[in-house]
Amino acid sequence: MTTSEPLTGERADLLEVLAKQRHFLRFTTRDLTDEQAGLRTTVSELCLGGLIKHTAATERNWTGFIVDGPSAMGDFADMTEDDFARRVDEFKMLPGETLAGVLDDYAEVARRTEELIATLPDLDATHPLPKAPWFEAGARWSARRVLMHIIAETAQHAGHADIIRESLDGAKSMG
């Protein structure tokens, strides 16, 4: 299969569902300034720009897992304080970051994911999950399962983003 052939079947369906959730997440940032995209509007640390950064980083990590297995994500036990600090920064708009830049990065991640799924030889190919307290020991995930996880993460964060946006200025993604 090449990327010039139209996708059909399961791959097309999965990517269409993911595209819809990505749209809702991006749509929450419409007409916002960089400052507004970095504002916290709830008691959590979440802001709209940070949610998009985190969702892009998560998708990038999981597609890396599809290609390279657990080494793409690293071992939780080997994480340093700097690693944890970088993870916290995923949820924030840092000085010098712009909403346009965050959205551009997310679009590039989406493009690479769509290309990977279109050209991947087998959605049933599996890798063992990396070691982390939130994963079942010894579990393996297929590329399909990873893609469904990316969809679920994106949908969950689109919901978070909708709440943050509504708290910011009353705008809603739906309804």
Side-chain angles (χ1 to χ4, degrees):
M1 179 182 305
T2 66
T3 55
S4 62
E5 295 176 19
L7 271 182
T8 60
E10 177 185 24
R11 292 171 196 246
D13 290 346
L14 289 167
L15 289 176
E16 183 179 333
V17 171
L18 180 55
K20 181 77 139 182
Q21 298 310 313
R22 286 183 186 132
H23 164 75
F24 285 128
L25 179 58
R26 287 190 311 264
F27 189 64
T28 61
T29 66
R30 70 198 177 282
D31 303 324
L32 292 182
T33 65
D34 293 338
E35 181 183 7
Q36 289 171 310
L39 290 176
R40 293 175 40 207
T41 63
T42 66
V43 296
S44 79
E45 294 292 325
L46 301 177
C47 68
L48 292 172
L51 269 174
I52 292 171
K53 278 177 53 179
H54 168 72
T55 304
T58 299
E59 186 170 323
R60 185 182 296 114
N61 286 339
W62 279 111
T63 55
F65 173 84
I66 289 171
V67 174
D68 297 320
S71 65
M73 298 176 87
D75 187 333
F76 172 79
D78 294 335
M79 288 181 69
T80 66
E81 290 298 319
D82 286 343
D83 294 329
F84 284 110
R86 275 191 295 279
R87 205 166 146 78
V88 168
D89 284 348
E90 281 180 7
F91 291 95
K92 302 175 186 173
M93 291 281 291
L94 300 175
E97 291 181 331
T98 65
L99 179 56
V102 168
L103 289 169
D104 286 347
D105 180 59
Y106 189 38
E108 178 59 20
V109 168
R111 186 197 63 73
R112 287 194 310 259
T113 298
E114 290 162 8
E115 182 178 291
L116 173 65
I117 298 306
T119 60
L120 196 66
D122 185 4
L123 291 179
D124 289 324
T126 67
H127 291 293
L129 289 174
K131 292 179 183 169
W134 47 86
F135 293 134
E136 177 186 345
R140 297 180 68 87
W141 278 15
S142 67
R144 177 184 298 100
R145 172 93 183 257
V146 169
L147 186 56
M148 290 189 301
H149 180 72
I150 292 169
I151 292 166
E153 280 265 333
T154 305
Q156 181 177 21
H157 292 317
H160 293 145
D162 201 32
I163 291 167
I164 292 168
R165 179 63 191 258
E166 189 171 358
S167 298
L168 179 66
D169 64 3
K172 298 178 186 177
S173 295
M174 297 176 68

